[in-house]
Amino acid sequence: MAQEKVLSVNNLAINFRTDNGLLKAVRNISFDLNRGETLCIVGESGSGKSVTSKAIMGILANNAIIESGNIMYRGENLLEISEDEFYKIRGHKIGMIFQDPLSSLNPIVRIGKQITEAMLINSDKLKLMYNDLISDDLIRYKNTLAKMNIEITNERKKLEAFILEIRAKENPSAQEKAADKEAVKARKHAFEEFEKKTKATYGKKAKELKAVLEVAEKKAKQQVKDYKDKVTAEHKARLDELQKKLAASSGEDKSRVKEEIENEKLEYINKLKLTKAEAKKRAIAIMREVGIPEPEKRFKQYPFEFSGGMRQRIVIAIALTASPEILICDEPTTALDVTIQAQILELINRIKAERNLSCIFITHDLGVVANMADRVAVMYAGKIVEYGTAEEIFYDPKHPYTWALLSSIPDVDSKEKLEAIPGTPPNMIYPPKGDAFAARSRYAMNIDYREEPPMFKVSDTHYAATWLLDPHAPKVEMPKIVSERIRISLEEDGKNE
């Protein structure tokens, strides 16, 4: 039975404009996230893991250029939607936990206020009702404008990057200068024509959608008014009934009726907006869910009064307040010691199971991957070099970079010497030709320096981009330390069965 995809990244390429040239941070990566699973993205710093997660959240830096690809969520491309729609998705549908909990929290604001802040910002239920009623028409209109602006902005960024590359040339000849000047002039003219044509195309469509939106807004205002009038009339009728009951009662009955009157008032307010009392009640329940003891007392404390592990629990609680269906964890245990790391990983796994969350877990630690992953994407130099289930990556790795990562993990059972990965990752302003890992790999062949390897299929769920999988490649055994660990692990699994 096919699993339900909740998120799909297709041929995503992201560059950054820098003073030294165009940095190619993410290079044509693709992956899917299925309902209820954890996908771990693993790799060294600078491999493009966090850039990918920021693209999903719509929080890339201003100098980022989306070169190609799409990120599909609920039938929409997240790279083309308006900020208005992203406001409804970011945090509400897709939550994120960052690396350092202390930098995610305001040090001079009490924890309780930080947890309830998002809830109270969206406390006006009438406004939320109105926004829901016009949502589809508003999104269509805003997305049309957003697509227009995104297309124009991306073309402008490409033009600026082209000009930067021209200016970065060292000692060009007079002939080259003249040719470059003409090339820049031609690119500028092409951009102006593109901008004019794009505005005309989208402008006409936006005008039609704006007319539809105005009709929807008028209808929604009337529906919200009708709802409020109905709720208010019912509330007044109920209050009149209780006031008569109060006048006719005495003693304990009178106290009970007074309590009913107060409850009726609270219920009426709760139908129109989320009160601070209700928000606090929800926050305390979530704090208890993430394992914070004495949440009523801790609600009033400041971040500095919490340990690192407790602060990370608070950040997780904040991410859960809107009940997202996707949770992105960007190295959430890096700033914590090993014991606390294990507790936080166990907590994320438990919450994921209880809420049926889909999780993208970003890390450089394969030990963490072993505890968390259903599937693993190994990234290097902006590309996914190996992709498969956790079992396939740990028991049948195929890429030399995956071997290198596995060889560098400390292990109590293996007697083999740990292997460091030689060299450093390449400068992605000047990405190497061929396999980016070739310069650091002892298994590199001549073709690795000339041509980039395609994704070779190992199984229906396992792929690796290495020329070692080519039928014409010489047979190469994985490092002894990796094969020995796999042997020991399989033997232990056999004993436990």
Side-chain angles (χ1 to χ4, degrees):
M1 183 177 169
Q3 289 181 289
E4 181 191 353
K5 293 179 186 177
V6 292
L7 186 80
S8 185
V9 175
N10 305 295
N11 300 314
L12 182 65
I14 302 171
N15 302 331
F16 287 91
R17 284 176 292 127
T18 72
D19 292 338
N20 297 318
L22 209 60
L23 188 145
K24 295 169 177 60
V26 173
R27 302 188 294 156
N28 296 310
I29 68 167
S30 298
F31 63 83
D32 298 322
L33 178 66
N34 297 320
R35 173 79 60 191
E37 78 164 356
T38 297
L39 170 70
C40 279
I41 302 178
V42 64
E44 292 171 278
S45 295
S47 60
K49 308 184 303 294
S50 293
V51 172
T52 303
S53 68
K54 287 177 180 176
I56 295 169
M57 291 297 291
I59 53 174
L60 284 171
N62 288 332
N63 65 330
I65 301 171
I66 308 294
E67 188 70 23
S68 64
N70 59 58
I71 302 171
M72 302 305 296
Y73 172 69
R74 294 190 171 217
E76 288 188 297
N77 182 3
L78 295 183
L79 301 178
E80 294 182 346
I81 65 175
S82 64
E83 183 57 29
D84 293 80
E85 187 175 1
F86 237 131
Y87 179 77
K88 295 180 180 180
I89 294 173
R90 192 186 298 120
H92 299 277
K93 301 296 182 183
I94 306 176
M96 190 164 185
I97 303 169
F98 293 96
Q99 189 174 126
D100 181 9
L102 194 56
S103 64
S104 301
L105 298 169
N106 190 326
I108 59 172
V109 176
R110 295 180 195 274
I111 287 298
K113 186 175 181 182
Q114 296 191 58
I115 296 175
T116 59
E117 185 177 24
M119 288 189 267
L120 292 173
I121 286 172
N122 298 294
S123 63
D124 189 336
K125 293 182 180 179
L126 293 179
K127 186 178 178 181
L128 290 174
M129 180 183 174
Y130 172 78
N131 288 338
D132 283 341
L133 289 169
I134 67 166
S135 176
D136 290 344
D137 294 304
L138 178 65
I139 285 169
R140 276 192 283 269
Y141 171 65
K142 292 283 187 178
N143 282 357
T144 299
L145 295 178
K147 285 177 183 178
M148 177 184 75
N149 291 328
I150 288 167
E151 286 185 21
I152 291 171
T153 300
N154 280 342
E155 285 302 312
R156 184 181 289 112
K157 285 180 178 179
K158 289 176 185 177
L159 171 63
E160 290 168 355
F162 177 74
I163 293 170
L164 280 174
E165 285 183 8
I166 294 292
R167 289 176 180 171
K169 287 184 178 180
E170 292 184 9
N171 302 319
S173 65
Q175 190 176 3
E176 283 179 316
K177 282 183 179 179
D180 288 342
K181 188 176 180 181
E182 286 301 314
V184 169
K185 186 178 177 181
R187 286 290 288 263
K188 284 182 176 179
H189 178 71
F191 169 73
E192 287 168 2
E193 289 298 312
F194 173 83
E195 184 178 30
K196 186 178 177 181
K197 184 179 177 182
T198 303
K199 283 183 176 180
T201 302
Y202 282 101
K204 183 182 177 182
K205 189 177 179 182
K207 190 176 180 181
E208 293 169 357
L209 292 172
K210 182 72 185 294
V212 174
L213 174 61
E214 286 171 352
V215 173
E217 286 173 334
K218 187 176 179 180
K219 186 179 176 182
K221 283 177 184 176
Q222 187 60 49
Q223 285 181 270
V224 171
K225 183 179 181 298
D226 291 345
Y227 170 77
K228 186 180 179 183
D229 290 346
K230 179 175 176 285
V231 168
T232 303
E234 288 173 352
H235 169 62
K236 285 180 178 178
R238 178 64 177 152
L239 272 186
D240 288 343
E241 183 186 321
L242 289 171
Q243 290 293 350
K244 289 174 184 176
K245 194 175 177 182
L246 181 65
S249 60
S250 61
E252 288 185 10
D253 286 343
K254 196 163 193 170
S255 297
R256 191 164 55 251
V257 174
K258 282 182 179 179
E259 188 177 332
E260 283 185 55
I261 290 172
E262 290 305 312
N263 287 338
E264 171 57 32
K265 288 178 180 178
L266 282 174
E267 281 182 31
Y268 172 67
I269 293 169
N270 282 332
K271 285 176 182 177
L272 302 181
K273 68 175 185 176
L274 180 71
T275 61
K276 286 186 178 180
E278 183 64 24
K280 181 180 179 180
K281 185 178 174 183
R282 289 189 194 179
I284 286 172
I286 290 173
M287 288 172 73
R288 192 173 282 114
E289 183 183 357
V290 298
I292 296 170
E294 301 181 279
E296 292 84 0
K297 176 185 173 184
R298 301 292 239 168
F299 186 85
K300 298 176 183 178
Q301 293 181 331
Y302 292 92
F304 67 83
E305 296 179 85
F306 290 74
S307 66
M310 283 295 165
R311 282 196 289 265
Q312 194 60 284
R313 289 173 189 267
I314 291 295
V315 171
I316 293 170
I318 292 170
L320 293 176
T321 54
S323 299
E325 66 173 343
I326 297 174
L327 190 62
I328 299 175
C329 306
D330 190 357
E331 303 200 36
T333 59
T334 300
L336 307 175
D337 62 61
V338 177
T339 307
I340 304 302
Q341 273 188 27
Q343 293 175 7
I344 295 299
L345 295 177
E346 185 181 336
L347 170 66
I348 293 171
N349 270 334
R350 177 173 62 79
I351 289 171
K352 178 200 146 202
E354 289 173 355
R355 292 182 173 231
N356 195 28
L357 289 171
S358 303
C359 187
I360 296 176
F361 202 99
I362 294 166
T363 182
H364 60 267
D365 187 344
L366 276 172
V368 170
V369 174
N371 290 320
M372 299 295 295
D374 294 307
R375 287 186 302 128
V376 182
V378 181
M379 281 192 80
Y380 184 77
K383 292 189 76 70
I384 292 176
V385 296
E386 188 159 6
Y387 186 51
T389 64
E391 189 173 291
E392 287 166 337
I393 297 299
F394 280 95
Y395 291 118
D396 190 27
K398 296 297 183 184
H399 198 283
Y401 180 58
T402 312
W403 295 346
L405 289 176
L406 290 167
S407 300
S408 62
I409 305 173
D411 183 89
V412 292
D413 297 315
S414 177
K415 295 177 183 179
E416 299 294 326
K417 184 180 177 182
L418 288 179
E419 295 183 11
I421 305 175
T424 57
N427 181 349
M428 294 312 293
I429 293 176
Y430 309 103
K433 192 177 180 182
D435 186 345
F437 189 61
R440 304 175 70 188
S441 173
R442 62 179 176 177
Y443 305 98
M445 301 175 286
N446 287 334
I447 193 172
D448 284 302
Y449 295 95
R450 299 196 314 269
E451 290 184 43
E452 191 175 290
M455 269 287 188
F456 288 95
K457 182 178 177 180
V458 181
S459 72
D460 288 340
T461 54
H462 189 187
Y463 298 83
T466 171
W467 286 115
L468 293 177
L469 292 175
D470 188 277
H472 302 99
K475 186 170 176 58
V476 173
E477 298 294 333
M478 68 177 72
K480 190 175 179 184
I481 185 172
V482 177
S483 58
E484 184 67 12
R485 283 180 177 178
I486 292 171
R487 183 188 64 77
I488 293 169
S489 183
L490 289 172
E491 284 179 0
E492 287 178 355
D493 288 346
K495 289 176 185 176
N496 293 331
E497 286 181 356

